Amino acid sequence: MKAMTYRGPYRIRVEEKDIPRIEHPGDAIVRVTLAAICGSDLHLYHGLMPDTRVGMTFGHEFIGVVQEVGPDVRNLKVGDRVMVPFNIYCGTCWFCARGLYSNCHNVNPNATAVGGIYGYSHTCGGYDGGQAEFVRVPLADVGPQVIPDDIDETDALLMTDALSTGYFGAQLGDIVAGDTVVVLGAGPVGLFAAKSAWLMGAGRVIVIDQLEYRLAKAREFAHAETLNFAEYDDIVVELKKQTDYLGADVVIDAVGAEADGNLIQQVTATKLKMQGGSPVALNWAIDGVRKGGTVSVLGAYGPIFSAVKFGDAMNKGLTLRMNQAPVKRQWPRLFEHIRAGYLKPSDIVTHRIPLDDIAEGYHLFSAKLDGCIKAVVVPSAN
Amino acid sequence: MSEEDVPLAYVADKPRPGAESPDELRRRIPGWGADLDPADRPSVPRLDRDLPDTGAHWTFPARQPGGEGRERSIEHAFVTPVFGTVAPLRGLSGVVRRFAYSRFSEGRAAHWLLLVLGDRVDVAESRVEAILRGRPDRLIAETGIGAEKGVHPVASRLRSTRSDTHHTWMDPFVVSAPWIAAAVVGWRIVRRVRR
Ligand SMILES: [Zn+2]
Ligand SMILES: [Zn+2]
């Protein structure tokens, strides 16, 4: 089969690989019909995530058709069209039993601090991802779900991470009616977080980014006010001015480890890999939120320490909330919102890329060229 | 400054700047307030045992064969029952990675810095191996730079509408810097362990 294959930082190629096999009785093999490139794939692509091995296939956002099932699989059959949450989890460990599906203890031998994620380095378990023609889906009775007939397949694809994560970030913010919500980052997750903040009753939603085309999308798609941080000497001061010196009630960090904006952080973190990523966005969140407010972190950060302004968080009495989204817990409510017409996730897709051209796709997305917001990858084995 | 001009943060209550009424918001934004009640928002990860069936029909998953000798975090009691198999440890990078896993917990910077070093060694080993196998890395094509054709590669750099412009100049330095940094750290760890 054809698969996206990592060759080192900024280098990928499409290779012939063996079709994955059933390795555990609970596995399924899924023929991928659509995959996506995610902002957090860029951390891998840039060589920022420890133990990303040459030869691995990325891609934790995908949907497909069940091709084969292991002897223990009861809930799926060959031919089912499934959406697969990016979390691999067992459903029964101490953490899963309490709903922390993204923190499963039974699927990632390489680390205890993070669960299993498709195509996300050995730090997340060493599984291949879905930017390929076929993918191994472990514990297939738990994660995947048959795509409902009335749900568009691109919408289903976006629910495997970006939409579910954005909605989750708004939830972590504990938004109450009338709150001023600031979202850092106008990528897919930020756009969905902004949109979700309205559903939860936000009174004002402000999205911050530095790329005009992404801010335009935030105004049009997410009905948000926007600020381009590149136009201000100090975006935190501007935020305070705009909120009558209060600060935001809730700030959602939808940027993560590769924030631009501070050269020293950029060099030590995203370039020299001496920090778990640049915490510029997180520090803006801590500075920009009001005292007693809530910071919700969705952006991916690596396991290496980062220079976070923890003293300010303490002195301001902040609530800091964060996790990888337990994706499948979001789906029932998100289906309702999509059916009601409140959400149309596929509206953010800007590029459809054949799997053969995925190196170009990564480059476009990484450099933010050609108005790229969300790129969907189309494998050829259909 | 008259009292009405004192910003909101300095007084107990004042209308918020830019505030719209719920009715205005409802008219303008599809679904505004649909999840207004914080108690009716599913799936916030507070420890919660009243959950829908996950579909699991085991108390502990069956053990995947092949776990013997597989690297694992020493914070785990054993190799987890389910694991990925796509790139087993091999070569010099495998030695570095195995050392990182067997010696240091996730709480130690050395664990992660050694893994980063292992990544760089892996890339070098793989380049050589690819040449020996007669399928050398296509160093230019693999960057995807071909995508720039037709999307204004020059203008985008001049007008700063792309996110890589401001650090392109330092890329050559930083490609070599992680090697040097990781080698220094690795050497210090080896010395400390030997002592
Ligand atoms: Zn993702
Ligand atoms: Zn579990």
Side-chain angles (χ1 to χ4, degrees):
Chain A
M1 67 162 186
K2 278 186 197 165
M4 169 276 178
T5 308
Y6 176 69
R7 295 296 303 170
Y10 297 91
R11 287 190 166 75
I12 54 182
R13 68 184 182 198
V14 176
E15 250 175 26
E16 268 308 310
K17 274 189 165 185
D18 293 337
I19 292 177
R21 292 183 325 254
I22 303 285
E23 303 195 42
H24 178 278
D27 286 355
I29 306 302
V30 168
R31 176 168 58 80
V32 178
T33 51
L34 280 183
I37 304 176
C38 175
S40 56
D41 286 332
L42 296 179
H43 308 327
L44 299 169
Y45 178 62
H46 298 162
L48 197 64
M49 188 74 173
D51 213 357
T52 303
R53 300 185 190 171
V54 170
M56 288 204 65
T57 296
F58 301 166
H60 55 267
E61 307 183 352
F62 61 91
I63 60 169
V65 178
V66 177
Q67 173 88 5
E68 192 187 345
V69 292
D72 262 10
V73 174
R74 300 180 193 171
N75 302 335
L76 289 181
K77 55 184 194 312
V78 172
D80 282 346
R81 291 170 62 239
V82 289
M83 49 203 288
V84 183
F86 77 80
N87 331 98
I88 300 170
Y89 61 105
C90 76
T92 56
C93 70
W94 196 95
F95 303 94
C96 285
R98 287 155 181 83
L100 302 172
Y101 301 150
S102 48
N103 308 107
C104 178
H105 216 62
N106 268 333
V107 294
N108 178 9
N110 296 73
T112 59
V114 61
I117 301 178
Y118 295 95
Y120 214 74
S121 86
H122 274 66
T123 295
C124 297
Y127 299 93
D128 260 353
Q131 290 164 8
E133 292 182 316
F134 297 90
V135 61
R136 172 191 170 208
V137 172
L139 301 167
D141 278 331
V142 176
Q145 161 169 346
V146 173
I147 301 172
D149 285 336
D150 60 341
I151 296 293
D152 171 80
E153 59 171 21
T154 307
D155 288 342
L157 172 68
L158 290 165
M159 288 174 75
T160 63
D161 179 7
L163 175 62
S164 303
T165 296
Y167 185 81
F168 177 68
Q171 283 186 318
L172 288 183
D174 273 337
I175 295 164
V176 298
D179 272 355
T180 296
V181 178
V182 166
V183 179
L184 302 177
V189 170
L191 294 171
F192 289 137
K195 194 121 177 142
S196 303
W198 292 123
L199 298 175
M200 294 170 203
R204 210 179 154 194
V205 177
I206 305 171
V207 175
I208 299 179
D209 200 282
Q210 66 167 351
L211 295 169
E212 259 324 309
Y213 76 89
R214 303 218 301 180
L215 292 169
K217 194 74 177 179
R219 290 189 290 270
E220 168 225 331
F221 173 81
H223 313 282
E225 298 169 56
T226 57
L227 292 172
N228 186 332
F229 71 77
E231 288 172 8
Y232 298 93
D233 177 44
D234 186 330
I235 191 63
V236 171
V237 173
E238 181 60 26
L239 207 50
K240 294 288 168 71
K241 285 184 183 160
Q242 296 233 359
T243 54
D244 244 12
Y245 293 89
L246 194 68
D249 298 288
V250 176
V251 178
I252 301 172
D253 167 7
V255 176
E258 294 199 61
D260 285 322
N262 174 326
L263 194 62
I264 292 170
Q265 295 277 17
Q266 175 97 30
V267 172
T268 62
T270 63
K271 292 298 172 181
L272 297 184
K273 338 279 186 210
M274 287 166 69
Q275 297 190 45
S278 156
V280 170
L282 183 52
N283 285 333
W284 282 354
I286 289 169
D287 286 330
V289 76
R290 70 162 163 83
K291 284 173 268 196
T294 300
V295 171
S296 157
V297 186
L298 298 175
Y301 288 88
I304 306 174
F305 67 88
S306 300
V308 176
K309 301 182 69 180
F310 198 75
D312 286 351
M314 189 277 164
N315 287 321
K316 291 178 74 173
L318 303 186
T319 301
L320 305 179
R321 302 196 68 195
M322 61 209 85
N323 203 349
Q324 301 277 359
V327 168
K328 205 173 174 181
R329 288 179 72 184
Q330 318 283 5
W331 286 356
R333 180 62 56 91
L334 291 175
F335 284 138
E336 286 172 30
H337 288 329
I338 288 171
R339 288 178 179 131
Y342 301 158
L343 294 170
K344 181 60 184 156
S346 51
D347 282 353
I348 69 158
V349 172
T350 50
H351 289 70
R352 281 180 180 261
I353 297 165
L355 178 59
D356 282 320
D357 299 339
I358 195 165
E360 285 75 19
Y362 266 86
H363 181 76
L364 275 185
F365 186 44
S366 169
K368 306 286 180 287
L369 278 167
D370 198 28
C372 187
I373 291 176
K374 187 69 173 176
V376 168
V377 179
V378 189
S380 40
N382 293 322
Chain B
M1 186 184 280
S2 77
E3 234 161 83
E4 299 89 81
D5 294 337
V6 175
L8 163 63
Y10 300 88
V11 294
D13 279 306
K14 250 186 100 168
R16 293 195 173 230
E20 287 172 86
S21 74
D23 281 340
E24 285 170 313
L25 287 165
R26 227 172 249 121
R27 262 198 303 278
R28 190 164 76 83
I29 290 154
W32 184 85
D35 290 330
L36 204 51
D37 177 5
D40 183 32
R41 292 175 195 161
S43 77
V44 176
R46 296 192 178 91
L47 302 185
D48 181 1
R49 297 210 66 164
D50 181 26
L51 296 160
D53 181 15
T54 60
H57 40 83
W58 48 78
T59 48
F60 178 72
R63 305 296 295 252
Q64 181 179 327
E68 310 78 21
R70 190 194 189 280
E71 78 286 357
R72 65 170 166 91
S73 165
I74 54 176
E75 295 181 41
H76 262 305
F78 39 69
V79 173
T80 54
V82 180
F83 53 86
T85 57
V86 295
L89 296 179
R90 63 196 188 107
L92 181 60
S93 60
V95 172
V96 175
R97 284 166 171 154
R98 187 171 295 285
F99 179 57
Y101 279 105
S102 60
R103 177 70 182 73
F104 300 104
S105 76
E106 292 163 58
R108 305 280 295 275
H111 175 79
W112 301 109
L113 292 170
L114 279 168
L115 288 177
V116 171
L117 173 67
D119 290 354
R120 302 298 164 257
V121 174
D122 186 10
V123 171
E125 284 181 309
S126 303
R127 288 257 191 289
V128 173
E129 191 190 313
I131 293 167
L132 295 178
R133 280 201 179 166
R135 240 206 121 203
D137 288 85
R138 293 152 58 227
L139 291 176
I140 305 291
E142 286 172 13
T143 63
I145 195 113
E148 304 230 354
K149 205 168 54 187
V151 296
H152 311 295
V154 179
S156 68
R157 284 187 167 82
L158 296 177
R159 280 178 315 171
S160 179
T161 52
R162 55 189 293 160
S163 65
D164 57 348
T165 323
H166 62 286
H167 62 76
T168 306
W169 62 270
M170 62 178 171
D171 285 352
F173 303 100
V174 299
V175 167
S176 51
W179 285 90
I180 297 162
V184 170
V185 171
W187 172 242
R188 286 174 57 181
I189 290 164
V190 168
R191 255 191 5 192
R192 198 189 313 162
V193 170
R194 283 229 184 107
R195 246 185 244 145

